[in-house]
Short mmCIF file of all heavy atoms in Angstrom, two decimals:
data_model
loop_
_atom_site.label_atom_id
_atom_site.label_comp_id
_atom_site.label_asym_id
_atom_site.label_seq_id
_atom_site.Cartn_x
_atom_site.Cartn_y
_atom_site.Cartn_z
N MET A 1 12.29 33.30 23.99
CA MET A 1 13.67 33.35 24.42
C MET A 1 14.55 33.41 23.17
O MET A 1 14.39 32.60 22.27
CB MET A 1 14.00 32.13 25.27
CG MET A 1 15.44 32.11 25.63
SD MET A 1 16.03 31.17 26.97
CE MET A 1 15.53 29.65 27.13
N ASP A 2 15.45 34.36 23.09
CA ASP A 2 16.34 34.53 21.95
C ASP A 2 17.66 33.83 22.23
O ASP A 2 18.40 34.24 23.12
CB ASP A 2 16.55 36.03 21.69
CG ASP A 2 17.38 36.28 20.45
OD1 ASP A 2 17.45 35.37 19.60
OD2 ASP A 2 17.94 37.37 20.33
N LEU A 3 17.95 32.78 21.50
CA LEU A 3 19.19 32.03 21.68
C LEU A 3 19.95 32.04 20.36
O LEU A 3 19.53 31.41 19.39
CB LEU A 3 18.91 30.58 22.10
CG LEU A 3 18.21 30.41 23.43
CD1 LEU A 3 17.84 28.96 23.65
CD2 LEU A 3 19.10 30.90 24.56
N PRO A 4 21.07 32.77 20.30
CA PRO A 4 21.84 32.80 19.05
C PRO A 4 22.35 31.41 18.69
O PRO A 4 22.78 30.65 19.55
CB PRO A 4 23.01 33.73 19.36
CG PRO A 4 22.80 34.26 20.73
CD PRO A 4 21.67 33.55 21.36
N GLY A 5 22.29 31.10 17.42
CA GLY A 5 22.79 29.81 16.95
C GLY A 5 21.79 28.68 17.07
O GLY A 5 22.10 27.54 16.74
N LEU A 6 20.59 28.95 17.56
CA LEU A 6 19.58 27.91 17.72
C LEU A 6 18.52 28.06 16.63
O LEU A 6 18.02 29.16 16.40
CB LEU A 6 18.92 28.02 19.10
CG LEU A 6 17.90 26.96 19.44
CD1 LEU A 6 18.59 25.61 19.59
CD2 LEU A 6 17.20 27.32 20.73
N THR A 7 18.21 26.97 15.95
CA THR A 7 17.20 26.98 14.90
C THR A 7 16.14 25.95 15.25
O THR A 7 16.46 24.81 15.59
CB THR A 7 17.82 26.60 13.54
OG1 THR A 7 18.88 27.50 13.26
CG2 THR A 7 16.80 26.66 12.44
N VAL A 8 14.89 26.34 15.18
CA VAL A 8 13.78 25.43 15.46
C VAL A 8 12.85 25.44 14.25
O VAL A 8 12.48 26.50 13.75
CB VAL A 8 13.00 25.86 16.72
CG1 VAL A 8 11.81 24.95 16.95
CG2 VAL A 8 13.90 25.90 17.93
N GLN A 9 12.50 24.25 13.77
CA GLN A 9 11.56 24.10 12.66
C GLN A 9 10.42 23.20 13.12
O GLN A 9 10.64 22.24 13.85
CB GLN A 9 12.20 23.44 11.45
CG GLN A 9 13.15 24.29 10.68
CD GLN A 9 13.69 23.52 9.46
OE1 GLN A 9 13.69 22.31 9.43
NE2 GLN A 9 14.14 24.26 8.48
N ALA A 10 9.22 23.52 12.69
CA ALA A 10 8.06 22.67 12.95
C ALA A 10 7.30 22.50 11.64
O ALA A 10 7.12 23.46 10.89
CB ALA A 10 7.17 23.28 14.01
N ARG A 11 6.89 21.27 11.35
CA ARG A 11 6.15 20.97 10.13
C ARG A 11 4.95 20.11 10.48
O ARG A 11 5.04 19.23 11.32
CB ARG A 11 7.02 20.20 9.14
CG ARG A 11 8.21 20.93 8.65
CD ARG A 11 8.99 20.05 7.70
NE ARG A 11 10.27 20.67 7.40
CZ ARG A 11 11.30 20.04 6.92
NH1 ARG A 11 11.25 18.74 6.69
NH2 ARG A 11 12.43 20.67 6.66
N MET A 12 3.84 20.37 9.82
CA MET A 12 2.67 19.52 9.95
C MET A 12 2.28 19.04 8.56
O MET A 12 2.35 19.80 7.60
CB MET A 12 1.49 20.27 10.57
CG MET A 12 1.63 20.43 12.05
SD MET A 12 0.08 20.79 12.86
CE MET A 12 -0.75 19.22 12.79
N SER A 13 1.89 17.79 8.48
CA SER A 13 1.44 17.25 7.20
C SER A 13 0.19 16.41 7.43
O SER A 13 -0.17 16.09 8.56
CB SER A 13 2.54 16.42 6.54
OG SER A 13 2.93 15.36 7.37
N ASN A 14 -0.47 16.06 6.34
CA ASN A 14 -1.71 15.29 6.36
C ASN A 14 -2.77 15.97 7.22
O ASN A 14 -3.43 15.34 8.04
CB ASN A 14 -1.46 13.86 6.82
CG ASN A 14 -2.58 12.94 6.42
OD1 ASN A 14 -3.27 13.18 5.46
ND2 ASN A 14 -2.77 11.87 7.18
N LEU A 15 -2.97 17.26 6.99
CA LEU A 15 -3.92 18.03 7.79
C LEU A 15 -5.36 17.54 7.60
O LEU A 15 -6.18 17.70 8.49
CB LEU A 15 -3.82 19.51 7.43
CG LEU A 15 -2.47 20.15 7.76
CD1 LEU A 15 -2.45 21.60 7.29
CD2 LEU A 15 -2.18 20.07 9.23
N LEU A 16 -5.67 16.96 6.46
CA LEU A 16 -7.03 16.47 6.19
C LEU A 16 -7.22 15.02 6.63
O LEU A 16 -8.28 14.44 6.40
CB LEU A 16 -7.36 16.62 4.70
CG LEU A 16 -7.30 18.05 4.18
CD1 LEU A 16 -7.58 18.08 2.69
CD2 LEU A 16 -8.28 18.94 4.93
N GLU A 17 -6.21 14.44 7.25
CA GLU A 17 -6.25 13.07 7.76
C GLU A 17 -6.70 12.08 6.69
O GLU A 17 -7.68 11.36 6.83
CB GLU A 17 -7.13 12.98 9.00
CG GLU A 17 -6.60 13.81 10.14
CD GLU A 17 -7.36 13.61 11.44
OE1 GLU A 17 -8.10 12.62 11.55
OE2 GLU A 17 -7.20 14.46 12.33
N ASP A 18 -5.94 12.05 5.59
CA ASP A 18 -6.21 11.13 4.49
C ASP A 18 -6.10 9.68 4.92
O ASP A 18 -5.64 9.37 6.01
CB ASP A 18 -5.19 11.36 3.37
CG ASP A 18 -5.77 12.18 2.24
OD1 ASP A 18 -7.00 12.34 2.20
OD2 ASP A 18 -4.99 12.65 1.42
N GLU A 19 -6.47 8.80 4.01
CA GLU A 19 -6.27 7.38 4.26
C GLU A 19 -5.42 6.80 3.14
O GLU A 19 -5.38 7.33 2.03
CB GLU A 19 -7.61 6.64 4.36
CG GLU A 19 -8.42 6.63 3.10
CD GLU A 19 -9.74 5.89 3.27
OE1 GLU A 19 -10.08 5.49 4.39
OE2 GLU A 19 -10.42 5.70 2.26
N LEU A 20 -4.71 5.74 3.46
CA LEU A 20 -3.88 5.04 2.49
C LEU A 20 -4.72 3.91 1.91
O LEU A 20 -5.26 3.09 2.64
CB LEU A 20 -2.63 4.50 3.17
CG LEU A 20 -1.66 3.71 2.32
CD1 LEU A 20 -1.06 4.62 1.25
CD2 LEU A 20 -0.57 3.13 3.18
N VAL A 21 -4.86 3.89 0.59
CA VAL A 21 -5.68 2.88 -0.08
C VAL A 21 -4.77 2.03 -0.95
O VAL A 21 -4.00 2.56 -1.75
CB VAL A 21 -6.78 3.54 -0.94
CG1 VAL A 21 -7.59 2.48 -1.66
CG2 VAL A 21 -7.67 4.41 -0.08
N TYR A 22 -4.86 0.71 -0.79
CA TYR A 22 -4.03 -0.22 -1.54
C TYR A 22 -4.93 -1.31 -2.12
O TYR A 22 -5.62 -2.01 -1.37
CB TYR A 22 -2.97 -0.83 -0.62
CG TYR A 22 -2.12 -1.89 -1.24
CD1 TYR A 22 -1.11 -1.56 -2.14
CD2 TYR A 22 -2.29 -3.23 -0.94
CE1 TYR A 22 -0.31 -2.52 -2.72
CE2 TYR A 22 -1.51 -4.21 -1.50
CZ TYR A 22 -0.53 -3.85 -2.40
OH TYR A 22 0.26 -4.81 -2.98
N ASP A 23 -5.00 -1.42 -3.44
CA ASP A 23 -5.78 -2.46 -4.10
C ASP A 23 -4.83 -3.38 -4.86
O ASP A 23 -3.95 -2.91 -5.57
CB ASP A 23 -6.77 -1.85 -5.10
CG ASP A 23 -7.88 -1.07 -4.41
OD1 ASP A 23 -8.26 -1.47 -3.30
OD2 ASP A 23 -8.34 -0.08 -4.99
N ARG A 24 -5.02 -4.68 -4.69
CA ARG A 24 -4.15 -5.67 -5.34
C ARG A 24 -5.02 -6.75 -5.97
O ARG A 24 -5.94 -7.26 -5.34
CB ARG A 24 -3.23 -6.27 -4.30
CG ARG A 24 -2.33 -7.35 -4.78
CD ARG A 24 -1.45 -7.87 -3.65
NE ARG A 24 -0.89 -9.15 -3.99
CZ ARG A 24 -0.53 -10.07 -3.12
NH1 ARG A 24 -0.66 -9.84 -1.83
NH2 ARG A 24 -0.03 -11.21 -3.51
N TYR A 25 -4.71 -7.09 -7.22
CA TYR A 25 -5.43 -8.14 -7.94
C TYR A 25 -4.44 -9.27 -8.24
O TYR A 25 -3.38 -9.03 -8.80
CB TYR A 25 -5.99 -7.60 -9.25
CG TYR A 25 -7.00 -6.49 -9.05
CD1 TYR A 25 -6.60 -5.17 -8.94
CD2 TYR A 25 -8.36 -6.79 -8.97
CE1 TYR A 25 -7.52 -4.16 -8.75
CE2 TYR A 25 -9.29 -5.78 -8.79
CZ TYR A 25 -8.87 -4.47 -8.68
OH TYR A 25 -9.79 -3.47 -8.49
N VAL A 26 -4.81 -10.50 -7.88
CA VAL A 26 -3.94 -11.65 -8.11
C VAL A 26 -4.66 -12.62 -9.06
O VAL A 26 -5.78 -13.05 -8.79
CB VAL A 26 -3.58 -12.36 -6.79
CG1 VAL A 26 -2.74 -13.60 -7.05
CG2 VAL A 26 -2.85 -11.40 -5.86
N PHE A 27 -3.99 -12.93 -10.16
CA PHE A 27 -4.54 -13.82 -11.18
C PHE A 27 -3.85 -15.18 -11.12
O PHE A 27 -2.73 -15.31 -10.62
CB PHE A 27 -4.35 -13.21 -12.57
CG PHE A 27 -5.19 -11.99 -12.78
CD1 PHE A 27 -4.75 -10.75 -12.37
CD2 PHE A 27 -6.43 -12.09 -13.39
CE1 PHE A 27 -5.53 -9.62 -12.57
CE2 PHE A 27 -7.22 -10.97 -13.59
CZ PHE A 27 -6.77 -9.73 -13.17
N ALA A 28 -4.50 -16.23 -11.68
CA ALA A 28 -3.97 -17.59 -11.69
C ALA A 28 -2.78 -17.72 -12.64
O ALA A 28 -1.97 -18.62 -12.50
CB ALA A 28 -5.06 -18.58 -12.06
N GLY A 29 -2.65 -16.83 -13.57
CA GLY A 29 -1.58 -16.84 -14.55
C GLY A 29 -1.55 -15.48 -15.24
O GLY A 29 -1.83 -14.47 -14.60
N PRO A 30 -1.26 -15.47 -16.55
CA PRO A 30 -1.28 -14.19 -17.26
C PRO A 30 -2.67 -13.54 -17.19
O PRO A 30 -3.69 -14.21 -17.33
CB PRO A 30 -0.93 -14.58 -18.70
CG PRO A 30 -0.20 -15.87 -18.57
CD PRO A 30 -0.80 -16.56 -17.38
N ARG A 31 -2.69 -12.26 -16.94
CA ARG A 31 -3.97 -11.55 -16.77
C ARG A 31 -4.90 -11.68 -17.98
O ARG A 31 -6.11 -11.74 -17.83
CB ARG A 31 -3.71 -10.06 -16.51
CG ARG A 31 -3.36 -9.80 -15.09
CD ARG A 31 -3.28 -8.33 -14.87
NE ARG A 31 -1.90 -7.90 -15.13
CZ ARG A 31 -1.47 -6.69 -15.00
NH1 ARG A 31 -2.29 -5.73 -14.64
NH2 ARG A 31 -0.22 -6.39 -15.22
N ALA A 32 -4.32 -11.70 -19.16
CA ALA A 32 -5.15 -11.73 -20.37
C ALA A 32 -5.91 -13.04 -20.54
O ALA A 32 -6.99 -13.06 -21.12
CB ALA A 32 -4.26 -11.49 -21.59
N SER A 33 -5.38 -14.15 -19.97
CA SER A 33 -6.00 -15.45 -20.25
C SER A 33 -6.51 -16.19 -19.01
O SER A 33 -7.34 -17.08 -19.14
CB SER A 33 -5.00 -16.36 -20.98
OG SER A 33 -3.86 -16.56 -20.18
N ASP A 34 -6.04 -15.88 -17.83
CA ASP A 34 -6.45 -16.63 -16.63
C ASP A 34 -7.41 -15.83 -15.75
O ASP A 34 -7.58 -14.62 -15.90
CB ASP A 34 -5.21 -17.03 -15.81
CG ASP A 34 -4.48 -18.20 -16.43
OD1 ASP A 34 -5.14 -19.06 -17.03
OD2 ASP A 34 -3.25 -18.24 -16.33
N ASN A 35 -8.02 -16.58 -14.83
CA ASN A 35 -9.04 -15.99 -13.95
C ASN A 35 -8.42 -15.24 -12.77
O ASN A 35 -7.29 -15.53 -12.35
CB ASN A 35 -9.96 -17.08 -13.41
CG ASN A 35 -10.80 -17.70 -14.50
OD1 ASN A 35 -11.15 -17.03 -15.48
ND2 ASN A 35 -11.13 -18.97 -14.34
N LEU A 36 -9.20 -14.38 -12.24
CA LEU A 36 -8.83 -13.65 -11.03
C LEU A 36 -8.96 -14.58 -9.84
O LEU A 36 -10.02 -15.18 -9.61
CB LEU A 36 -9.76 -12.43 -10.86
CG LEU A 36 -9.57 -11.58 -9.61
CD1 LEU A 36 -8.22 -10.87 -9.65
CD2 LEU A 36 -10.69 -10.57 -9.49
N LEU A 37 -7.87 -14.76 -9.07
CA LEU A 37 -7.92 -15.61 -7.88
C LEU A 37 -8.53 -14.84 -6.71
O LEU A 37 -9.42 -15.34 -6.02
CB LEU A 37 -6.52 -16.09 -7.49
CG LEU A 37 -5.87 -17.11 -8.39
CD1 LEU A 37 -4.46 -17.44 -7.91
CD2 LEU A 37 -6.71 -18.38 -8.44
N PHE A 38 -8.01 -13.63 -6.45
CA PHE A 38 -8.58 -12.83 -5.38
C PHE A 38 -8.19 -11.36 -5.56
O PHE A 38 -7.27 -11.03 -6.29
CB PHE A 38 -8.17 -13.32 -3.99
CG PHE A 38 -6.70 -13.26 -3.70
CD1 PHE A 38 -6.15 -12.12 -3.11
CD2 PHE A 38 -5.87 -14.33 -3.98
CE1 PHE A 38 -4.80 -12.06 -2.83
CE2 PHE A 38 -4.52 -14.27 -3.70
CZ PHE A 38 -3.98 -13.14 -3.12
N ARG A 39 -8.93 -10.53 -4.87
CA ARG A 39 -8.67 -9.09 -4.85
C ARG A 39 -8.48 -8.70 -3.39
O ARG A 39 -9.28 -9.07 -2.53
CB ARG A 39 -9.85 -8.35 -5.46
CG ARG A 39 -9.70 -6.86 -5.40
CD ARG A 39 -10.91 -6.19 -6.00
NE ARG A 39 -10.85 -4.77 -5.72
CZ ARG A 39 -11.88 -3.96 -5.83
NH1 ARG A 39 -13.05 -4.42 -6.21
NH2 ARG A 39 -11.74 -2.69 -5.57
N GLU A 40 -7.44 -7.97 -3.13
CA GLU A 40 -7.12 -7.55 -1.76
C GLU A 40 -7.27 -6.03 -1.68
O GLU A 40 -6.72 -5.30 -2.48
CB GLU A 40 -5.67 -7.95 -1.44
CG GLU A 40 -5.20 -7.55 -0.10
CD GLU A 40 -3.75 -7.94 0.14
OE1 GLU A 40 -3.07 -8.40 -0.81
OE2 GLU A 40 -3.30 -7.78 1.27
N ASN A 41 -8.04 -5.59 -0.71
CA ASN A 41 -8.24 -4.16 -0.47
C ASN A 41 -7.75 -3.82 0.93
O ASN A 41 -8.18 -4.45 1.90
CB ASN A 41 -9.72 -3.78 -0.54
CG ASN A 41 -10.29 -3.95 -1.92
OD1 ASN A 41 -9.55 -4.12 -2.87
ND2 ASN A 41 -11.59 -3.91 -2.03
N ARG A 42 -6.90 -2.84 1.02
CA ARG A 42 -6.42 -2.37 2.33
C ARG A 42 -6.70 -0.88 2.44
O ARG A 42 -6.41 -0.12 1.54
CB ARG A 42 -4.93 -2.59 2.49
CG ARG A 42 -4.50 -4.01 2.54
CD ARG A 42 -3.02 -4.08 2.81
NE ARG A 42 -2.51 -5.41 2.54
CZ ARG A 42 -1.25 -5.74 2.67
NH1 ARG A 42 -0.36 -4.85 3.05
NH2 ARG A 42 -0.85 -6.96 2.40
N ARG A 43 -7.25 -0.49 3.53
CA ARG A 43 -7.49 0.92 3.80
C ARG A 43 -6.96 1.21 5.18
O ARG A 43 -7.31 0.53 6.14
CB ARG A 43 -8.96 1.24 3.71
CG ARG A 43 -9.51 0.96 2.33
CD ARG A 43 -10.69 1.79 1.99
NE ARG A 43 -11.33 1.58 0.73
CZ ARG A 43 -10.80 1.34 -0.44
NH1 ARG A 43 -9.53 1.19 -0.56
NH2 ARG A 43 -11.51 1.21 -1.53
N ARG A 44 -6.12 2.21 5.29
CA ARG A 44 -5.49 2.55 6.57
C ARG A 44 -5.65 4.04 6.81
O ARG A 44 -5.24 4.85 5.99
CB ARG A 44 -4.02 2.17 6.51
CG ARG A 44 -3.29 2.37 7.77
CD ARG A 44 -1.88 1.84 7.63
NE ARG A 44 -1.02 2.68 8.42
CZ ARG A 44 0.26 2.82 8.25
NH1 ARG A 44 0.87 2.16 7.30
NH2 ARG A 44 0.97 3.59 9.01
N GLU A 45 -6.27 4.39 7.89
CA GLU A 45 -6.43 5.80 8.23
C GLU A 45 -5.14 6.31 8.84
O GLU A 45 -4.54 5.65 9.69
CB GLU A 45 -7.58 5.98 9.21
CG GLU A 45 -8.93 5.68 8.59
CD GLU A 45 -10.07 5.93 9.54
OE1 GLU A 45 -9.87 6.63 10.56
OE2 GLU A 45 -11.17 5.42 9.28
N ILE A 46 -4.73 7.47 8.39
CA ILE A 46 -3.49 8.08 8.88
C ILE A 46 -3.85 9.44 9.44
O ILE A 46 -4.47 10.25 8.77
CB ILE A 46 -2.46 8.23 7.74
CG1 ILE A 46 -2.18 6.87 7.11
CG2 ILE A 46 -1.18 8.87 8.25
CD1 ILE A 46 -1.35 6.94 5.87
N GLY A 47 -3.46 9.69 10.67
CA GLY A 47 -3.76 10.97 11.31
C GLY A 47 -2.76 12.05 10.91
O GLY A 47 -1.90 11.86 10.06
N ARG A 48 -2.89 13.19 11.55
CA ARG A 48 -1.97 14.30 11.31
C ARG A 48 -0.56 13.92 11.77
O ARG A 48 -0.40 13.19 12.74
CB ARG A 48 -2.43 15.54 12.05
CG ARG A 48 -3.70 16.11 11.50
CD ARG A 48 -4.08 17.39 12.24
NE ARG A 48 -5.41 17.77 11.85
CZ ARG A 48 -6.48 17.66 12.62
NH1 ARG A 48 -6.36 17.20 13.84
NH2 ARG A 48 -7.66 18.01 12.18
N VAL A 49 0.43 14.47 11.07
CA VAL A 49 1.82 14.18 11.40
C VAL A 49 2.51 15.50 11.77
O VAL A 49 2.44 16.47 11.03
CB VAL A 49 2.55 13.53 10.20
CG1 VAL A 49 4.00 13.28 10.53
CG2 VAL A 49 1.85 12.23 9.82
N MET A 50 3.15 15.54 12.94
CA MET A 50 3.88 16.72 13.40
C MET A 50 5.35 16.36 13.51
O MET A 50 5.71 15.34 14.09
CB MET A 50 3.35 17.15 14.77
CG MET A 50 4.12 18.23 15.43
SD MET A 50 3.82 19.80 14.66
CE MET A 50 4.73 20.86 15.73
N GLU A 51 6.21 17.19 12.92
CA GLU A 51 7.65 16.96 12.95
C GLU A 51 8.32 18.20 13.51
O GLU A 51 8.02 19.32 13.11
CB GLU A 51 8.15 16.69 11.54
CG GLU A 51 9.63 16.51 11.43
CD GLU A 51 10.08 16.32 9.99
OE1 GLU A 51 9.28 16.52 9.06
OE2 GLU A 51 11.26 15.98 9.81
N SER A 52 9.23 18.02 14.47
CA SER A 52 9.99 19.12 15.05
C SER A 52 11.48 18.86 14.89
O SER A 52 11.95 17.75 15.12
CB SER A 52 9.70 19.27 16.55
OG SER A 52 8.34 19.48 16.76
N ILE A 53 12.22 19.90 14.50
CA ILE A 53 13.67 19.79 14.35
C ILE A 53 14.31 20.94 15.13
O ILE A 53 13.95 22.10 14.93
CB ILE A 53 14.09 19.87 12.87
CG1 ILE A 53 13.44 18.74 12.07
CG2 ILE A 53 15.60 19.84 12.73
CD1 ILE A 53 13.61 18.87 10.58
N VAL A 54 15.23 20.60 16.03
CA VAL A 54 15.97 21.61 16.80
C VAL A 54 17.44 21.42 16.49
O VAL A 54 17.98 20.33 16.64
CB VAL A 54 15.71 21.45 18.32
CG1 VAL A 54 16.50 22.48 19.10
CG2 VAL A 54 14.23 21.53 18.63
N LYS A 55 18.09 22.50 16.03
CA LYS A 55 19.51 22.45 15.69
C LYS A 55 20.23 23.56 16.45
O LYS A 55 19.68 24.63 16.64
CB LYS A 55 19.73 22.69 14.20
CG LYS A 55 19.16 21.63 13.29
CD LYS A 55 19.42 22.00 11.86
CE LYS A 55 18.76 21.01 10.92
NZ LYS A 55 18.98 21.39 9.51
N GLY A 56 21.46 23.29 16.83
CA GLY A 56 22.27 24.31 17.48
C GLY A 56 23.13 23.72 18.58
O GLY A 56 23.12 22.53 18.85
N SER A 57 23.84 24.60 19.24
CA SER A 57 24.69 24.21 20.35
C SER A 57 24.07 24.75 21.63
O SER A 57 23.53 25.85 21.65
CB SER A 57 26.09 24.81 20.15
OG SER A 57 26.88 24.55 21.28
N PHE A 58 24.13 23.99 22.69
CA PHE A 58 23.51 24.38 23.94
C PHE A 58 24.53 24.62 25.04
O PHE A 58 24.22 24.53 26.21
CB PHE A 58 22.51 23.31 24.37
CG PHE A 58 21.44 23.08 23.36
CD1 PHE A 58 21.55 22.07 22.42
CD2 PHE A 58 20.33 23.90 23.32
CE1 PHE A 58 20.57 21.87 21.47
CE2 PHE A 58 19.34 23.71 22.37
CZ PHE A 58 19.46 22.69 21.45
N CYS A 59 25.78 24.95 24.68
CA CYS A 59 26.84 25.17 25.66
C CYS A 59 27.03 26.67 25.87
O CYS A 59 27.08 27.44 24.92
CB CYS A 59 28.15 24.56 25.17
SG CYS A 59 28.04 22.80 24.95
N ALA A 60 27.16 27.08 27.11
CA ALA A 60 27.39 28.49 27.39
C ALA A 60 28.88 28.80 27.29
O ALA A 60 29.73 28.02 27.70
CB ALA A 60 26.89 28.82 28.79
N ASN A 61 29.22 29.98 26.74
CA ASN A 61 30.61 30.41 26.70
C ASN A 61 30.89 31.36 27.86
O ASN A 61 30.03 31.61 28.70
CB ASN A 61 30.97 31.04 25.34
CG ASN A 61 30.15 32.28 25.05
OD1 ASN A 61 29.60 32.90 25.96
ND2 ASN A 61 30.05 32.64 23.79
N GLU A 62 32.08 31.95 27.91
CA GLU A 62 32.47 32.82 29.03
C GLU A 62 31.59 34.07 29.13
O GLU A 62 31.44 34.63 30.20
CB GLU A 62 33.93 33.27 28.87
CG GLU A 62 34.95 32.15 28.71
CD GLU A 62 35.04 31.63 27.28
OE1 GLU A 62 34.95 32.42 26.32
OE2 GLU A 62 35.17 30.41 27.11
N LYS A 63 31.01 34.51 28.04
CA LYS A 63 30.22 35.74 28.04
C LYS A 63 28.74 35.46 28.32
O LYS A 63 27.93 36.36 28.27
CB LYS A 63 30.36 36.44 26.68
CG LYS A 63 31.78 36.85 26.38
CD LYS A 63 31.86 37.45 25.00
CE LYS A 63 33.31 37.72 24.64
NZ LYS A 63 33.46 38.16 23.27
N GLY A 64 28.40 34.22 28.60
CA GLY A 64 27.02 33.90 28.90
C GLY A 64 26.19 33.52 27.69
O GLY A 64 25.05 33.13 27.82
N GLY A 65 26.78 33.60 26.49
CA GLY A 65 26.06 33.23 25.27
C GLY A 65 26.28 31.77 24.95
O GLY A 65 26.85 31.03 25.74
N LEU A 66 25.85 31.37 23.80
CA LEU A 66 26.03 29.98 23.38
C LEU A 66 27.29 29.82 22.57
O LEU A 66 27.64 30.68 21.76
CB LEU A 66 24.83 29.51 22.54
CG LEU A 66 23.50 29.43 23.28
CD1 LEU A 66 22.41 29.00 22.33
CD2 LEU A 66 23.58 28.47 24.42
N SER A 67 28.01 28.74 22.80
CA SER A 67 29.24 28.45 22.04
C SER A 67 28.85 27.91 20.68
O SER A 67 27.92 27.13 20.53
CB SER A 67 30.07 27.40 22.76
OG SER A 67 30.42 27.89 24.02
N GLN A 68 29.58 28.30 19.66
CA GLN A 68 29.31 27.84 18.30
C GLN A 68 30.37 26.82 17.89
O GLN A 68 31.54 26.98 18.19
CB GLN A 68 29.38 29.02 17.32
CG GLN A 68 28.32 30.07 17.58
CD GLN A 68 26.91 29.52 17.30
OE1 GLN A 68 26.71 28.82 16.35
NE2 GLN A 68 25.98 29.85 18.18
N GLY A 69 29.96 25.77 17.20
CA GLY A 69 30.88 24.82 16.60
C GLY A 69 31.56 23.86 17.54
O GLY A 69 32.53 23.21 17.17
N ARG A 70 31.11 23.74 18.76
CA ARG A 70 31.73 22.77 19.68
C ARG A 70 30.83 21.54 19.78
O ARG A 70 29.62 21.67 19.84
CB ARG A 70 31.88 23.38 21.08
CG ARG A 70 32.94 24.42 21.13
CD ARG A 70 33.19 24.81 22.57
NE ARG A 70 34.19 25.86 22.63
CZ ARG A 70 34.40 26.60 23.69
NH1 ARG A 70 33.68 26.40 24.78
NH2 ARG A 70 35.32 27.52 23.68
N PRO A 71 31.44 20.36 19.84
CA PRO A 71 30.61 19.14 19.97
C PRO A 71 30.04 19.02 21.37
O PRO A 71 30.41 19.77 22.27
CB PRO A 71 31.62 18.03 19.67
CG PRO A 71 32.93 18.61 20.03
CD PRO A 71 32.84 20.08 19.73
N PHE A 72 29.15 18.05 21.55
CA PHE A 72 28.61 17.81 22.89
C PHE A 72 29.74 17.48 23.86
O PHE A 72 30.71 16.84 23.51
CB PHE A 72 27.59 16.67 22.87
CG PHE A 72 26.30 17.07 22.24
CD1 PHE A 72 25.96 16.61 20.99
CD2 PHE A 72 25.44 17.93 22.89
CE1 PHE A 72 24.76 16.98 20.40
CE2 PHE A 72 24.24 18.32 22.32
CZ PHE A 72 23.91 17.84 21.08
N GLY A 73 29.64 17.90 25.06
CA GLY A 73 30.71 17.80 26.04
C GLY A 73 31.18 19.20 26.38
O GLY A 73 31.53 19.50 27.51
N CYS A 74 31.17 20.10 25.43
CA CYS A 74 31.37 21.55 25.61
C CYS A 74 32.57 21.88 26.47
O CYS A 74 32.45 22.49 27.52
CB CYS A 74 30.12 22.17 26.19
SG CYS A 74 28.64 21.79 25.26
N SER A 75 33.74 21.48 26.03
CA SER A 75 34.94 21.79 26.81
C SER A 75 35.46 23.18 26.51
O SER A 75 35.07 23.83 25.60
CB SER A 75 36.02 20.76 26.52
OG SER A 75 36.23 20.62 25.14
#
């Protein structure tokens, strides 16, 4: 359907379904002189991300087309 003034965008990211990896090391004091208290590992799987953006006006004018530059309410 051809609608003047309407723009549609679609984006996909993370097609390989990467994972988020977070490593944290906590020491008892300064790293150079104190012992390691604990190590925290977080791994989070993230799936594909789909984003859609629709821009434009959806009001019909007297000629049957779409009105440009009018806010919602379409007076």
Side-chain angles (χ1 to χ4, degrees):
M1 175 160 46
D2 185 20
L3 297 173
L6 183 67
T7 303
V8 177
Q9 286 182 338
R11 297 179 190 161
M12 283 199 74
S13 59
N14 199 26
L15 297 176
L16 300 177
E17 297 187 16
D18 259 346
E19 64 180 7
L20 179 64
V21 178
Y22 175 75
D23 292 327
R24 177 180 163 207
Y25 298 87
V26 177
F27 291 85
R31 279 186 270 182
S33 60
D34 283 327
N35 293 329
L36 177 67
L37 289 178
F38 63 91
R39 177 181 170 196
E40 178 182 8
N41 294 347
R42 294 184 194 179
R43 299 207 182 321
R44 184 175 146 202
E45 292 183 17
I46 303 171
R48 292 183 190 107
V49 178
M50 172 74 175
E51 177 183 10
S52 302
I53 300 171
V54 179
K55 295 179 185 178
S57 174
F58 301 95
C59 299
N61 62 20
E62 305 82 38
K63 298 176 186 174
L66 294 179
S67 299
Q68 297 294 319
R70 289 189 182 165
F72 286 107
C74 307
S75 51

